[in-house]
Amino acid sequence: MATVPLKDELDIVIPTIRNLDFLEMWRPFFQPYHLIIVQDGDPSKTIRVPDGFDYELYNRNDINKILGPRASCISFKDSACRCFGYMVSKKKYIYTIDDDCFVAKDPSGKDINALEQHIKNLLCPATPYFFNTLYDPFRDGADFVRGYPFSLREGVPTAVSHGLWLNIPDYDAPTQLVKPLERNTRYVDTVLTIPKGTLFPMCGMNLAFDRDLIGPAMYFGLMGDGQPIGRYDDMWAGWCCKVICDHLGLGIKTGLPYIYHSKASNPFVNLKKEYNGIFWQEEIIPFFQQLNLSKESTTVQKCYVEMAKQVNEKLGKIDPYFAKLADAMVTWIEAWDELNPATKDSAKVANAASK
């Protein structure tokens, strides 16, 4: 019998408002792992999970009970609630997937084991300091090309593996409106490290990360019910994570694996959620591009609290929402530290960053 990679070291986090029938398709790949299901919306509703899966399910009542007053930092009626699952997990690695994502097929017609590829990405180094034109030099059949500095070939730890999607692309509402029938059929057999100093739009529906290395920065913000913005939760986490990874000497990979994104969300509903974000991102992105963290910020938590202070000072001028978000970022770290006492791995990162 084949060994299951990271069976006891990885949790799968799924946010949902509906029965999880989609897991039947994923059973061959997910059944050996522990699932953390974060139920959004009405906590009195019963969510059905197919038999045979090892899981724990949290609803809003559970979140309020576990976090108390700090539960205010967890979004309501938004898939950003998934980050509560990251907080309560006790595993080293997290894979998160949306409940409208199915198993994709590669060009040969074979089912893609997305989780297996994410694990491969996370377990081999990243190369953010110098771009390799053969993309990931650690894949079979590839290596560092002529001219690549030998001093950089060891790479750095990979903190995040960002997967992609076939069928429904991850577009914003304006693009959805002008390209309603567009589908992504391009399968690109590539994994690459996002270079240092370069931001990217992170999508949370097919994402894995090393929780020990970057978990406290995987906060999906204040979105959804009662907030003036939605659908920027994963992107906010991505911008924060990238700046912190660059600061601490960690890497982020994107590309394989693909999942099949089955359902296009309503572009008019999305436009309402994104409306403020479309304007705000033109100031948010330059903020992150220019954000510098101090040498004293030697852990992810310290980086994140310093970042929250700058969000309040610089983005708070755009809208009062950002002062509220900055407070929630600090609350998130307080809650994280309460549920997750310092680990040896986080100490290692701190020591590496301080050298």
Side-chain angles (χ1 to χ4, degrees):
M1 185 177 175
T3 57
V4 179
L6 303 182
K7 178 180 179 295
D8 299 317
E9 297 179 74
L10 183 144
D11 279 334
I12 300 172
V13 174
I14 306 167
T16 192
I17 57 170
R18 58 181 66 88
N19 292 334
L20 293 181
D21 300 324
F22 93 114
L23 284 172
E24 289 294 355
M25 178 178 279
W26 287 101
R27 188 180 290 275
F29 308 127
F30 288 1
Q31 192 160 0
Y33 296 91
H34 180 67
L35 312 182
I36 298 178
I37 300 160
V38 184
Q39 177 183 337
D40 198 15
D42 183 0
S44 67
K45 184 179 176 184
T46 301
I47 297 290
R48 194 185 73 80
V49 181
D51 293 339
F53 285 93
D54 171 37
Y55 71 93
E56 52 192 307
L57 189 152
Y58 297 93
N59 62 30
R60 193 70 203 187
N61 293 339
D62 300 315
I63 294 171
N64 292 338
K65 184 178 178 182
I66 292 168
L67 296 185
R70 294 191 177 117
S72 61
C73 73
I74 305 297
S75 299
F76 185 55
K77 292 188 178 176
D78 192 278
S79 66
C81 68
R82 78 178 77 218
C83 61
F84 177 77
Y86 310 158
M87 184 186 284
V88 297
S89 170
K90 299 302 175 192
K91 304 289 177 62
K92 178 172 169 55
Y93 300 99
I94 295 285
Y95 175 53
T96 187
I97 185 171
D98 283 3
D99 61 12
D100 63 349
C101 293
F102 300 159
V103 177
K105 293 185 182 296
D106 68 17
S108 72
K110 181 183 176 185
D111 284 350
I112 297 169
N113 184 347
L115 186 51
E116 182 180 56
Q117 179 64 49
H118 276 298
I119 290 169
K120 286 180 181 177
N121 293 349
L122 289 170
L123 293 184
C124 75
T127 52
Y129 301 121
F130 202 88
F131 190 80
N132 192 53
T133 50
L134 275 181
Y135 305 113
D136 191 340
F138 300 100
R139 287 189 69 188
D140 290 342
D143 208 329
F144 293 97
V145 298
R146 181 171 55 90
Y148 200 101
F150 284 89
S151 59
L152 296 177
R153 294 190 182 192
E154 186 178 341
V156 302
T158 300
V160 181
S161 171
H162 178 255
L164 300 175
W165 353 266
L166 295 172
N167 195 41
I168 306 291
D170 186 32
Y171 285 161
D172 53 40
T175 310
Q176 279 184 295
L177 285 166
V178 297
K179 294 183 171 182
L181 301 179
E182 184 156 288
R183 300 293 181 265
N184 181 33
T185 59
R186 295 178 66 238
Y187 179 97
V188 182
D189 186 14
T190 295
V191 177
L192 58 88
T193 298
I194 300 172
K196 183 181 180 183
T198 301
L199 295 174
F200 75 111
M202 189 172 83
C203 173
M205 65 177 152
N206 176 28
L207 179 73
F209 59 93
D210 186 321
R211 186 175 170 279
D212 287 349
L213 290 181
I214 199 64
M218 275 289 177
Y219 176 47
F220 277 41
L222 275 182
M223 303 279 158
D225 196 50
Q227 309 304 332
I229 186 174
R231 285 173 55 80
Y232 274 82
D233 52 330
D234 42 7
M235 287 182 281
W236 179 263
W239 297 327
C240 293
C241 283
K242 187 59 169 66
V243 170
I244 291 173
C245 282
D246 285 353
H247 177 72
L248 294 180
L250 302 170
I252 296 179
K253 293 186 176 184
T254 187
L256 299 181
Y258 284 93
I259 48 84
Y260 184 90
H261 186 206
S262 68
K263 188 178 67 181
S265 48
N266 186 311
F268 295 100
V269 173
N270 290 346
L271 188 57
K272 279 186 177 180
K273 294 177 180 179
E274 294 174 4
Y275 184 79
N276 285 321
I278 290 168
F279 291 101
W280 291 346
Q281 71 183 13
E282 301 307 320
E283 295 184 64
I284 294 171
I285 291 170
F287 162 76
F288 279 107
Q289 287 173 326
Q290 296 157 22
L291 198 160
N292 288 309
L293 296 168
S294 65
K295 288 183 179 178
E296 289 71 38
S297 289
T298 54
T299 66
V300 176
Q301 285 93 326
K302 287 179 181 178
C303 288
Y304 205 69
V305 170
E306 183 181 351
M307 189 177 282
K309 184 180 179 184
Q310 294 193 45
V311 167
N312 186 37
E313 289 173 0
K314 297 178 182 176
L315 296 183
K317 298 169 188 174
I318 300 174
D319 190 273
Y321 163 75
F322 288 99
K324 190 177 177 184
L325 175 58
D327 287 343
M329 292 168 70
V330 175
T331 301
W332 160 265
I333 292 296
E334 291 170 353
W336 182 283
D337 284 346
E338 187 175 324
L339 294 181
N340 300 279
T343 65
K344 291 178 183 176
D345 284 316
S346 60
K348 285 179 189 172
V349 174
N351 292 335
S354 61
K355 288 178 181 176

